[in-house]
Amino acid sequence: MKLSTQGLGAEEGLIAIYVENPPSMSEYHNIQSVQSLSTGEIDIINQACGNGWRKVFNVYAKILAEWQHRDHHFTNFKRWQDYRDKVLLQGHSQEALLFSPPNFSEKNYKFHVIAGRTYAKRILRDHIFTNSLVWLDEEFAIDKASNLVICPYLDYRQLSNIKITRLVGLLAELERTST
């Protein structure tokens, strides 16, 4: 049985970050595909779902701001807040926030990040999709063959600015070694 890719953002692009659960709003409970957000929808989710989701979107935008990948739209913005409010996870963006396990055979995204060690270990156990994952420490792992990084969850305490810098360094390493 083929698993469908479920989440928010662009159906294909530069990066997909995988988290365990969608926002706790009825609109997102039965997502069966990747749905782009519209302008202002992040704010609606933040207001309905609270500070946890605000952190997820803020940390995602901060990752893109620090990464400054040459093929990403972020280079057109001076502040991560502006990118978050105007582009993040919209159809014309190059990123997705996915609630389903990675499917590397689809090749929809160049880079993959699983946010949260506990979630990563569970999906690695239940969905074998990598044989070359190397744990660097308790929080970070990398699979150069799949362009995959595992990092702490998208939360200020778990993925602090210092750890965002480390994640961006690992993404840059994957970029240097990918074909």
Side-chain angles (χ1 to χ4, degrees), residues 12 17 30 35 41 45 51 55 63 65 86-87 90 93-94 97 100 112-113 117 121 129 147 149-150 156 175 179:
E12 58 183 39
I17 295 182
N30 295 311
Q35 300 175 5
E41 199 167 350
I45 294 169
N51 200 37
K55 291 175 185 177
I63 291 166
K86 295 177 182 170
V87 180
Q90 295 183 25
S93 73
Q94 295 176 7
L97 184 66
S100 54
H112 306 268
V113 176
R117 180 185 62 186
K121 285 185 175 182
F129 51 79
N147 280 343
V149 176
I150 295 173
Y156 304 138
E175 186 177 2
T179 54

Side-chain angles (χ1 to χ4, degrees), residues 54-73:
R54 184 180 332 281
K55 291 175 185 177
V56 167
F57 296 128
N58 287 354
V59 170
Y60 204 149
K62 289 172 98 174
I63 291 166
L64 297 174
E66 186 160 336
W67 193 16
Q68 292 284 321
H69 189 279
R70 70 181 179 278
D71 295 332
H72 195 272
H73 298 306

Side-chain angles (χ1 to χ4, degrees), residues 82-117:
D82 295 332
Y83 185 84
R84 176 201 60 209
D85 296 341
K86 295 177 182 170
V87 180
L88 185 69
L89 302 173
Q90 295 183 25
H92 60 285
S93 73
Q94 295 176 7
E95 67 271 348
L97 184 66
L98 301 179
F99 315 119
S100 54
N103 183 347
F104 298 116
S105 66
E106 289 182 350
K107 301 195 184 303
N108 289 350
Y109 306 98
K110 185 170 183 181
F111 300 98
H112 306 268
V113 176
I114 299 174
R117 180 185 62 186

Side-chain angles (χ1 to χ4, degrees), residues 1-177:
M1 180 174 109
K2 182 180 181 282
L3 293 174
S4 65
T5 302
Q6 304 155 356
L8 305 173
E11 291 182 358
E12 58 183 39
L14 188 63
I15 185 170
I17 295 182
Y18 302 81
V19 296
E20 187 168 10
N21 297 307
S24 59
M25 295 170 64
S26 60
E27 298 93 310
Y28 307 112
H29 281 184
N30 295 311
I31 293 178
Q32 297 301 314
S33 62
V34 180
Q35 300 175 5
S36 61
L37 295 180
S38 58
T39 302
E41 199 167 350
I42 285 177
D43 192 46
I44 292 167
I45 294 169
N46 289 344
Q47 290 183 25
C49 299
N51 200 37
W53 277 96
R54 184 180 332 281
K55 291 175 185 177
V56 167
F57 296 128
N58 287 354
V59 170
Y60 204 149
K62 289 172 98 174
I63 291 166
L64 297 174
E66 186 160 336
W67 193 16
Q68 292 284 321
H69 189 279
R70 70 181 179 278
D71 295 332
H72 195 272
H73 298 306
F74 192 91
T75 55
N76 299 330
F77 292 86
K78 292 187 188 323
R79 297 173 355 116
W80 63 263
Q81 295 92 335
D82 295 332
Y83 185 84
R84 176 201 60 209
D85 296 341
K86 295 177 182 170
V87 180
L88 185 69
L89 302 173
Q90 295 183 25
H92 60 285
S93 73
Q94 295 176 7
E95 67 271 348
L97 184 66
L98 301 179
F99 315 119
S100 54
N103 183 347
F104 298 116
S105 66
E106 289 182 350
K107 301 195 184 303
N108 289 350
Y109 306 98
K110 185 170 183 181
F111 300 98
H112 306 268
V113 176
I114 299 174
R117 180 185 62 186
T118 302
Y119 175 56
K121 285 185 175 182
R122 191 175 76 256
I123 63 175
L124 287 168
R125 181 192 68 222
D126 296 344
H127 306 276
I128 298 171
F129 51 79
T130 177
N131 294 324
S132 53
L133 186 71
V134 176
W135 283 93
L136 305 172
D137 56 33
E138 286 293 312
E139 298 179 304
F140 288 89
I142 191 167
D143 179 343
K144 293 180 181 180
S146 300
N147 280 343
L148 169 69
V149 176
I150 295 173
C151 72
Y153 188 71
L154 305 184
D155 177 281
Y156 304 138
R157 288 175 300 225
Q158 295 180 51
L159 195 62
S160 64
N161 288 341
I162 291 170
K163 292 177 184 177
I164 288 173
T165 299
R166 182 163 186 211
L167 170 60
V168 167
L170 293 171
L171 290 168
E173 183 180 331
L174 289 177
E175 186 177 2
R176 285 189 301 274
T177 60

